[in-house]
Amino acid sequence: MRTFFLAAMLAAISVFSTAGVADTAGAPRQPDLPREIIINGVEFVLVPEGWFWYAVENGEREKAVQKGKPWFRDVKVWLDSYYIAKYEARARDLKRFLDSRDVKHRTEYGSGETKGCAVRRNEAGEYYLTEPERDLPATHLSWNLADEFTRWMGFRMPTEAEWVKAARGTDRRLWPWGDEYPDDTYAGFRAFGGCTPAPVTSFSNGKSPYGAYNMAGNVFEYVADWYNEQFDLDIKDGDRNPVPAATGTLTEGIPRPVKILKGGRWASSASFIHVYARTTMRPDENFRCFGVRFAVDVETARTHLENGTATIVEP
């Protein structure tokens, strides 16, 4: 596994002031879009359109690390409105998906077949929840399988920009809850064990400004983007709805396209679960702590609301 963590030294925290745009704890919203809805059993929270500070690499990682300086930057970009899942994708929904007969990438569940954190398969070939009384996140996903799972549920993955905004709001906070160094009430991290994810509803102190849980720690979350170093170098203030093209090249020049995961995991340190942190993985590889968080376009949400297939939780 080749990973790219944007690990900032704690001494650099002061660089990220919250003097940008106002905090979004009481974020404005378009009047015709509910703040929270449920579609296909999944809770979604609205992330309203607007400008925010997108966290990207600055293209001088080696030099910056040698000098003890941050190797990332904030860029003020625009995103249209969208919905992000309030919680990580659940194991119970992964089981439903794996039970279906048309799972193309079923074999990529791989190590999760018999030793999965939350979903396993018995000798009869039946999938079961390891702890049905706990609302655990889906794990052991490759990007391909996560994408298929997401589409089967009727959703899509967020872009990295959408993920970052949902995690930090419109200021320059380091973690979803702010710049305060985390303890075990904020996030699931520093738990060095084989399979130790917490239920998706855990750590309410660590909610993002929009009310999303576990965007730091617990399980890594895939986003839609391919890793593209040139994109990080070229993105600038004023860009809108940024999405990098796939180049198939890592920083070291290795010619293999990789996908991005965000948020860190249950065994990460505090400096690996902040909003700048990334890891990368080939789309057909999996690991026990890889999960996903769903997203929904506003147009899709409107259609569900009009058809009565969405429930409004908070207007």
Side-chain angles (χ1 to χ4, degrees):
M1 180 177 67
R2 183 173 297 273
T3 61
F4 284 87
F5 287 111
L6 298 181
M9 293 183 304
L10 296 179
I13 291 178
S14 60
V15 173
F16 308 102
S17 71
T18 57
V21 187
D23 193 345
T24 56
R29 59 186 173 86
Q30 296 181 4
D32 60 336
L33 294 174
R35 190 181 296 272
E36 183 176 341
I37 59 177
I38 298 176
I39 303 174
N40 195 13
V42 177
E43 304 90 336
F44 287 92
V45 291
L46 176 67
V47 181
E49 66 181 13
W51 299 98
F52 83 107
W53 295 101
Y54 185 21
V56 294
E57 295 185 29
N58 65 15
E60 299 178 348
R61 178 168 59 91
E62 296 300 330
K63 187 182 298 184
V65 169
Q66 291 173 4
K67 294 182 178 180
K69 295 182 179 180
W71 46 289
F72 34 74
R73 64 192 175 101
D74 290 330
V75 184
K76 192 175 183 179
V77 302
W78 174 278
L79 285 182
D80 294 338
S81 299
Y82 59 98
Y83 282 92
I84 193 86
K86 187 174 183 177
Y87 308 110
E88 299 143 319
R90 291 176 164 96
R92 69 190 187 208
D93 289 323
L94 176 62
K95 179 186 178 299
R96 287 200 294 135
F97 167 66
L98 291 171
D99 282 339
S100 68
R101 296 184 178 182
D102 56 348
V103 179
K104 179 180 179 182
H105 296 285
R106 185 194 301 268
T107 56
E108 293 177 15
Y109 189 59
S111 58
E113 292 289 305
T114 58
K115 298 180 180 180
C117 296
V119 180
R120 297 180 186 173
R121 190 172 65 172
N122 61 25
E123 293 181 356
E126 301 168 328
Y127 289 98
Y128 66 96
L129 297 176
T130 60
E131 299 180 78
E133 72 283 359
R134 303 178 74 213
D135 197 2
L136 294 176
T139 60
H140 287 82
L141 302 181
S142 69
W143 187 92
N144 287 336
L145 187 62
D147 181 56
E148 190 178 354
F149 172 33
T150 300
R151 294 176 186 275
W152 185 84
M153 289 290 293
F155 311 130
R156 65 171 177 84
M157 291 187 199
T159 65
E160 185 179 19
E162 289 175 334
W163 191 98
V164 171
K165 184 176 182 181
R168 80 185 317 194
T170 58
D171 60 28
R172 287 169 151 169
R173 62 185 61 196
L174 264 181
W175 293 286
W177 55 87
D179 288 337
E180 183 177 353
Y181 193 89
D183 58 30
D184 59 9
T185 68
Y186 284 99
F189 70 112
R190 295 184 304 191
F192 297 99
C195 271
T196 53
V200 299
T201 56
S202 302
F203 311 110
S204 60
N205 282 351
K207 288 188 297 185
S208 82
Y210 300 105
Y213 283 63
N214 291 304
M215 299 199 78
N218 212 31
V219 298
F220 281 114
E221 300 176 14
Y222 283 109
V223 294
D225 307 22
W226 293 94
Y227 177 81
N228 185 327
E229 181 185 14
Q230 193 60 48
F231 169 81
D232 289 343
L233 296 172
D234 292 344
I235 190 170
K236 61 186 182 303
D237 289 347
D239 284 351
R240 289 174 170 263
N241 300 309
V243 179
T247 63
T249 303
L250 292 178
T251 304
E252 294 90 341
I254 298 174
R256 64 172 198 172
V258 291
K259 289 292 188 176
I260 297 170
L261 299 107
K262 298 290 292 182
R265 67 179 182 123
W266 62 74
S268 296
S269 66
S271 60
F272 291 160
I273 63 172
H274 56 59
V275 297
Y276 299 89
R278 270 179 181 159
T279 191
T280 57
M281 181 61 62
R282 274 174 36 190
D284 59 345
E285 295 178 314
N286 66 36
F287 192 57
R288 62 175 175 261
C289 53
F290 289 178
V292 70
R293 185 180 299 264
F294 304 134
V296 172
D297 292 333
V298 165
E299 293 75 14
T300 301
R302 288 187 198 278
T303 299
H304 278 286
L305 289 166
E306 292 169 358
N307 293 340
T309 50
T311 301
I312 297 176
V313 177
E314 185 179 351

